[in-house]
Amino acid sequence: MDHCDPTLSAALAFGEASEQEIRAAERHLEHCAACREELAALRELAAAARGAAPADSVSVRPPPRVWEAIAAETAAERRDGGRDGGGNGTASGPR
């Protein structure tokens, strides 16, 4: 048995499928548990993505000083040779 096209499943999950696509998918979903499960998971993902997105859909960029601090911390960790105890790349506090 064929399964729903992944693009169609995504369109269904995000509410962007046409009425014709919805009807065709509903017929298939009546008999295909795998596609129902996949669609349910995609709908959860879509809901999470909508909830995580800023309300005005404008991306927020951190100021350059944030990236500079990250670069400085990374460079310090490399210079120190991972002297945080395990060399696992985790910061051991302010330097």
Side-chain angles (χ1 to χ4, degrees), residues 58-64 66-67:
V58 175
S59 67
V60 178
R61 295 178 187 228
V66 172
W67 298 116

Side-chain angles (χ1 to χ4, degrees), residues 32-51:
C32 185
C35 287
R36 281 194 309 271
E37 290 173 15
E38 180 178 342
L39 181 57
L42 287 170
R43 284 183 170 152
E44 285 182 35
L45 177 65
R50 283 188 198 102

Side-chain angles (χ1 to χ4, degrees), residues 1-2 7 10 18 20 22 25 31 33 38 40 47-49 52 60 68 70 73 81 90 94:
M1 171 190 277
D2 290 336
T7 303
S18 70
Q20 181 180 5
I22 293 169
H31 306 285
E38 180 178 342
V60 178
E68 292 165 5
I70 292 170
E73 182 71 19
T90 59

